[in-house]
Amino acid sequence: MFTHMKNQLLFFLFICLFIKGYSQKILPDKILVEHINSGLNKMYNFEFDAAEQYFNKIEKKYPNHPAYFILMSMNLYWEMFYHDNYKEKSSQFIELLNKASAANALLKQKDKTNLETVFFEMIIEAYIALYYAERDETANCVKHVKRAYQMLKIAMKHKDEITDFYFPIGLYNYYVVQYPETKPFYKPFMIFFIPGNKLQGLKDLDYDHLHGVFTRTEAAYYLSNIYLKYENDHLAAQPYVEKLNKNFPKNSFFTVRLIEVMLNKAQYVQCYKYIQELKNTEKPFFTAVAHAFEGIIYEKHHKNYKAAIEYYNQSIADHTKTRNPEKDYLSFAYAGLGRCYHALGDFSKAEQCYKICRSFAEYTSVIQECDRYLKKNR
């Protein structure tokens, strides 16, 4: 599990995390570019072995190229995230990243002005920072986040040369403003960073979603996350969510977002099919999310508060079994308990649940709900 401090440090990691940009300037072989796209599509659809077969074609054509090692590390990261086995696979993960870094250094020696190396270094440094964050090695994490940030500043000057640069720049423009809004404690530290603009960030991400070469899927995923989590606008999230699920029906993270949109539209009955898909994974994180969603259905659709409480408590229990750092759906469970206990007249328990929820909630709607209740019941 991430500690509270690691979550703060990873804010800057998220600026660059999951970058998938390999423009035609970097790998001019059109057939190979198609292989990369096919591999990424398999990866997003959780067909990890099939993705690896496509990525292996890069190594055969371009031996010791950083793109191969980066793609393999990305594929492994999604696989670890899905299977919840980061601890078991982390040594393999960092080995791939170290090989990518060494290969990129050789490219940099040949041409220090090559934007290709900037692109790769952003990705490598971001993932290495993530590795050290997982291991509670804060100093090493910060060191690599700073390096990624330096590459980002260079990318900002060249976003019109490589379309996929719009993705990390859009993330930065949005999150450098949003993060201190969610975590006000960090607002004073923002003076050390280039100012951002949330609206411009959303425009950059949408531009990349429409025109990006390899980052359009990530752009769509982050846009759906931003609109649901921070903007509280499920209608704006809907087209991105539906597109992701249509293209990658096996990706459980995309399924989670689809269910969120449906719940916000009160499409409770239609949700059950997708909730069952989450349960069928038999992964603790997804079963935890599924139980939280079932709690919402029993609370808001069936008005069966006691049954809803059982589902919310099961979700909380399931969250203790996963190493996934995501706590958003845990906040859903605690907020749901607060509402149910209030409806049943147990105001003391309701307040207690809202206080727990408020201590870690990051969803704008959940934070606002907690604040309204706790302020009203002071």
Side-chain angles (χ1 to χ4, degrees):
M1 269 297 185
F2 279 40
T3 62
H4 180 72
M5 178 57 72
K6 284 194 294 185
N7 275 319
Q8 322 318 326
L9 294 172
L10 285 174
F11 156 58
F12 299 106
L13 168 61
F14 289 148
I15 294 167
C16 306
L17 193 59
F18 299 122
I19 297 171
K20 308 299 186 292
Y22 307 96
S23 75
Q24 293 179 5
K25 293 182 180 179
I26 294 174
L27 291 175
D29 188 325
K30 290 184 178 180
I31 295 178
L32 201 60
V33 169
E34 291 178 4
H35 288 322
I36 294 174
N37 262 324
S38 296
L40 289 173
N41 287 337
K42 292 294 184 182
M43 179 189 75
Y44 285 124
N45 206 38
F46 286 2
E47 299 173 70
F48 304 114
D49 292 339
E52 187 172 332
Q53 291 177 14
Y54 280 107
F55 297 153
N56 284 336
K57 297 178 187 293
I58 302 171
E59 186 183 31
K60 292 179 181 179
K61 187 71 179 286
Y62 297 96
N64 203 38
H65 196 286
Y68 166 73
F69 299 112
I70 292 171
L71 285 165
M72 290 294 287
S73 67
M74 285 161 41
N75 191 50
L76 180 59
Y77 182 81
W78 274 96
E79 185 177 358
M80 292 187 301
F81 206 27
Y82 173 66
H83 290 299
D84 207 359
N85 61 355
Y86 186 93
K87 184 177 181 179
E88 294 81 0
K89 297 281 189 177
S90 61
S91 60
Q92 183 181 345
F93 181 61
I94 193 64
E95 182 181 356
L96 286 168
L97 292 172
N98 286 334
K99 288 181 179 179
S101 183
N104 195 53
L106 291 176
L107 286 180
K108 202 169 185 178
Q109 286 179 3
K110 296 178 182 178
D111 184 0
K112 293 183 179 180
T113 64
N114 193 343
L115 287 179
E116 170 183 350
T117 61
V118 173
F119 218 75
F120 292 140
E121 192 167 346
M122 272 199 297
I123 304 166
I124 294 165
E125 294 298 334
Y127 273 113
I128 292 177
L130 176 61
Y131 169 79
Y132 284 119
E134 286 281 4
R135 296 168 63 87
D136 287 317
E137 297 182 30
T138 302
N140 282 326
C141 176
V142 172
K143 178 175 67 177
H144 290 282
V145 167
K146 287 181 178 178
R147 290 177 182 175
Y149 177 62
Q150 294 305 314
M151 295 302 102
L152 179 71
K153 289 195 289 186
I154 296 174
M156 285 181 169
K157 301 175 183 178
H158 299 279
K159 70 177 183 179
D160 291 328
E161 297 176 49
I162 297 182
T163 305
D164 285 338
F165 273 160
Y166 275 85
F167 175 68
I169 293 169
L171 284 181
Y172 181 86
N173 276 329
Y174 186 85
Y175 279 100
V176 80
V177 178
Q178 178 60 52
Y179 194 81
E181 289 180 2
T182 304
K183 303 288 184 181
F185 175 82
Y186 294 93
K187 190 170 293 186
F189 299 101
M190 294 302 104
I191 62 171
F192 300 108
F193 296 89
I194 298 171
N197 181 299
K198 288 203 291 186
L199 182 59
Q200 184 59 49
L202 292 172
K203 290 180 179 178
D204 289 338
L205 288 170
D206 190 60
Y207 183 87
D208 185 71
H209 163 248
L210 295 173
H211 304 288
V213 181
F214 295 99
T215 56
R216 59 179 61 189
T217 298
E218 285 296 335
Y221 181 58
Y222 272 91
L223 283 164
S224 67
N225 180 65
I226 286 170
Y227 281 120
L228 286 169
K229 184 171 182 175
Y230 299 114
E231 299 297 315
N232 195 23
D233 189 345
H234 66 275
L235 293 179
Q238 184 174 346
Y240 303 110
V241 169
E242 290 179 345
K243 185 175 181 179
L244 288 170
N245 279 272
K246 179 181 179 180
N247 292 338
F248 310 105
K250 296 180 182 179
N251 190 313
S252 301
F253 294 104
F254 298 166
T255 302
V256 168
R257 293 298 186 215
L258 178 63
I259 298 171
E260 279 189 66
V261 169
M262 295 174 73
L263 288 174
N264 274 288
K265 296 176 68 177
Q267 296 176 335
Y268 300 116
V269 176
Q270 296 93 321
C271 286
Y272 278 113
K273 170 189 173 183
Y274 300 103
I275 289 174
Q276 188 59 47
E277 288 181 9
L278 296 182
K279 288 184 172 183
N280 289 343
T281 67
E282 297 183 351
K283 307 297 182 185
F285 174 73
F286 293 113
T287 56
V289 175
H291 285 130
F293 289 157
E294 284 182 304
I296 292 173
I297 292 173
Y298 271 86
E299 173 200 349
K300 297 189 175 183
H301 180 53
H302 299 297
K303 308 298 181 183
N304 187 336
Y305 302 116
K306 291 184 179 180
I309 287 173
E310 291 183 10
Y311 280 114
Y312 287 138
N313 280 326
Q314 184 60 58
S315 176
I316 293 169
D318 290 338
H319 271 92
T320 65
K321 302 173 185 176
T322 178
R323 285 171 286 186
N324 190 310
E326 182 65 74
K327 291 186 178 181
D328 288 332
Y329 306 100
L330 182 61
S331 74
F332 283 17
Y334 274 109
L337 284 176
R339 292 190 301 269
C340 289
Y341 282 127
H342 180 82
L344 294 172
D346 195 337
F347 306 123
S348 177
K349 279 189 178 180
E351 183 177 0
Q352 181 182 6
C353 290
Y354 273 121
K355 284 181 178 179
I356 295 173
C357 182
R358 186 62 178 88
S359 68
F360 64 87
E362 295 187 356
Y363 257 67
T364 298
S365 59
V366 177
I367 290 173
Q368 290 174 347
E369 179 182 343
C370 290
D371 288 346
R372 284 195 303 268
Y373 190 88
L374 294 174
K375 182 179 180 180
K376 184 179 178 180
N377 292 276
R378 282 177 181 173

